[in-house]
Amino acid sequence: MNIRVILSICLLTLSVILVFLPLNQNRKDQPTPFQQLELLSEKEQGVSVDLAARYMNENDSTIQFIDIRTPAEFLECNIPGSINIPYEELLNKEWQGYLNQTAKINILYANGVIKSNLALVLLNGKGYTNNDVLKGGMNEWFTTVMNEEEFIGERLTARENSIFENRRKARMLFTEINNAPDSLKNTFLKAKIIEESKLDGGCE
Amino acid sequence: MAPLLSTPDFPIWLNLLTAVLIGIGFGFALEQAGFSSSRKLTGMFYGYDTTVLKVFFTAAIVALIGAQFLSYFGLIDLHRVFVNYYYVLPAIIGGIIMGVGFVMGGFCPGTGFSALAIGKIDALFYLLGGLLGAWIFAEVYPSISEFANSGFKGPAKINEWLGISPAIFSMIIIMMAIAMFWLAEKAEKKFARPDITNEL
């Protein structure tokens, strides 16, 4: 056989072998679990309470607040517009639709700092990238945003003014929705879940 | 040297040295295949010499299979390989202009340089003409920029458009290539010109 026939047969055989090989076998540039943990401790984590208040005021549709406390604590008071995924149920199948997506950024919050950061480590380990925490949790929210501070000084700078307005509006929204009777809160939450599931489409 | 060996940080001079060595290898491959001769190159258009098709298509197939095997062994990240953006109509018009220039001049830019390296004067004028064309394009660009950026389809790949896996697409390409080489042999016999392919 001349060289051309040999070459053609070689190339064809190689391509047939290729058909049965999986593509993207080893991604060497994907970080190992230890590197992932290091990356986590380097990044500045946390959405400040003022920023969260702004997101809530403007009903920002690219942000989703997730309350990881128990349902009882959630019903007592929560950031309006947030959904409740208890910490123990974070890896359950029914919540993966909220956690494993790239459309919205999830902001996890609890009363303090520890649980939300633990939840963040958990979700990062699973490879979900669009998650963040609320710096200081609900405790910080109450001391900063809900605290009606007195103004000291002669003139108000534009920045202080905007922070003040932001917090005042957040306070109004927060107290209004959280003081609604329990039944109303439940229906508000259910309506939100139903509306979002309708947007999904497809089979259950 | 990305996408190959992506993790270590190579110094700039090493990347440039690799580029120079690859360029030398490319020029050597062109010259030893005989592509410094404009007769061989235009032979592809008139049909009497199909060396260009065979050499370049074989190189493309080897690169295709090689890249996919390297991706399987984890040495290349195929997602980091740059894919040229596809502008529908500007690509067609540009191809026509390039094709007309190729047949009239008898060189394409890469082979023009390898012919210049062996001392051909017409290659020198061909390259000067190429530079003139680039200057004219730059001067005229503001008025054609809207057309030049129309029909943008992003980094389009045929196998993604057809919806088949890259490996099956490579197999189809190889079978097409073998069929085309066989046809090329027949065409050479049909369009043969006396004694023209033996001179350089």
Side-chain angles (χ1 to χ4, degrees):
Chain A
M1 285 193 282
N2 63 1
I3 183 72
R4 299 173 181 187
V5 179
I6 295 178
L7 204 59
S8 324
I9 293 183
C10 276
L11 286 174
L12 263 181
T13 325
L14 282 176
S15 74
V16 168
I17 294 177
L18 256 186
V19 169
F20 294 108
L21 284 180
L23 208 60
N24 300 325
Q25 175 78 340
N26 305 316
R27 296 281 303 271
K28 285 234 165 113
D29 59 342
Q30 213 171 47
T32 66
F34 285 108
Q35 285 173 337
Q36 269 180 3
L37 279 181
E38 269 179 44
L39 281 173
L40 257 186
S41 52
E42 281 172 6
K43 245 196 323 178
E44 263 291 313
Q45 290 291 348
V47 172
S48 78
V49 191
D50 280 323
L51 191 56
R54 165 156 302 138
Y55 286 146
M56 184 187 80
N57 289 340
E58 297 172 0
N59 201 16
D60 198 329
S61 61
T62 59
I63 302 285
Q64 173 69 56
F65 284 103
I66 297 185
D67 191 338
I68 57 175
R69 304 176 293 174
T70 62
E73 289 177 314
F74 176 73
L75 278 179
E76 197 183 309
C77 76
N78 58 12
I79 294 182
S82 55
I83 56 176
N84 181 28
I85 303 182
Y87 177 71
E88 292 78 20
E89 296 181 18
L90 265 177
L91 297 177
N92 281 4
K93 263 204 195 139
E94 52 186 293
W95 304 119
Q96 296 316 305
Y98 286 106
L99 298 169
N100 184 17
Q101 38 82 13
T102 51
K104 290 189 176 195
I105 299 183
N106 297 327
I107 301 185
L108 312 164
Y109 68 91
N111 278 329
V113 227
I114 301 180
K115 266 249 163 83
S116 48
N117 279 301
L118 285 180
L120 186 67
V121 171
L122 204 70
L123 296 178
N124 273 328
K126 278 219 101 181
Y128 306 157
T129 48
N130 254 17
N131 300 309
D132 212 340
V133 287
L134 185 65
K135 259 197 208 155
M138 286 300 274
N139 295 341
E140 179 77 16
W141 176 275
F142 275 105
T143 51
T144 314
V145 175
M146 300 303 293
N147 193 17
E148 298 199 13
E149 68 243 3
E150 276 207 1
F151 171 66
I152 311 169
E154 285 194 355
R155 303 188 69 190
L156 194 67
T157 63
R159 186 167 173 273
E160 285 175 338
N161 187 34
S162 73
I163 295 180
F164 175 76
E165 286 294 314
N166 194 26
R167 289 182 188 170
R168 190 178 65 91
K169 189 168 173 205
R171 246 176 275 143
M172 280 174 21
L173 207 59
F174 190 81
T175 42
E176 188 183 310
I177 294 194
N178 277 309
N179 285 336
D182 263 354
S183 54
L184 209 63
K185 264 197 263 184
N186 270 333
T187 47
F188 172 71
L189 202 66
K190 283 207 183 92
K192 187 164 194 267
I193 293 183
I194 290 178
E195 179 192 306
E196 285 183 13
S197 67
K198 274 211 194 112
L199 290 172
D200 254 351
C203 310
E204 288 288 306
Chain B
M1 278 207 264
L4 192 62
L5 306 173
S6 51
T7 21
D9 227 352
F10 284 115
I12 296 184
W13 63 265
L14 188 59
N15 285 331
L16 292 176
L17 182 65
T18 318
V20 167
L21 292 175
I22 293 180
I24 293 177
F26 183 59
F28 174 76
L30 283 185
E31 169 64 30
Q32 65 85 35
F35 290 164
S36 307
S37 143
S38 49
R39 288 206 186 99
K40 264 201 190 305
L41 294 167
T42 50
M44 191 62 223
F45 181 71
Y46 295 110
Y48 57 82
D49 189 339
T50 53
T51 312
V52 177
L53 171 72
K54 293 175 197 162
V55 172
F56 271 103
F57 215 144
T58 311
I61 294 174
V62 169
L64 185 62
I65 297 189
Q68 291 185 10
F69 267 108
L70 284 178
S71 149
Y72 172 69
F73 291 124
L75 295 171
I76 270 189
D77 186 358
L78 273 184
H79 294 280
R80 294 176 64 177
V81 174
F82 176 70
V83 179
N84 264 329
Y85 301 141
Y86 178 41
Y87 298 85
V88 184
L89 204 49
I92 295 178
I93 304 283
I96 292 176
I97 297 177
M98 156 81 179
V100 168
F102 193 147
V103 176
M104 288 203 303
F107 295 110
C108 69
T111 49
F113 274 104
S114 76
L116 183 62
I118 67 170
K120 296 205 170 187
I121 303 184
D122 54 347
L124 174 66
F125 282 95
Y126 179 84
L127 292 172
L128 287 176
L131 279 176
L132 183 68
W135 181 77
I136 293 179
F137 178 73
E139 291 297 315
V140 168
Y141 188 71
S143 52
I144 61 166
S145 76
E146 200 188 292
F147 170 70
N149 290 325
S150 68
F152 178 72
K153 286 203 185 274
K157 289 190 183 178
I158 298 185
N159 65 312
E160 282 173 19
W161 177 61
L162 290 176
I164 56 182
S165 81
I168 297 187
F169 182 64
S170 329
M171 206 162 69
I172 294 179
I173 290 279
I174 293 178
M175 293 197 284
M176 259 176 54
I178 296 177
M180 279 168 67
F181 296 165
W182 183 70
L183 277 175
E185 291 282 302
K186 297 205 142 184
E188 270 190 9
K189 291 196 183 78
K190 181 169 177 206
F191 293 109
R193 292 193 190 182
D195 278 341
I196 201 166
T197 52
N198 293 329
E199 311 167 18
L200 270 182

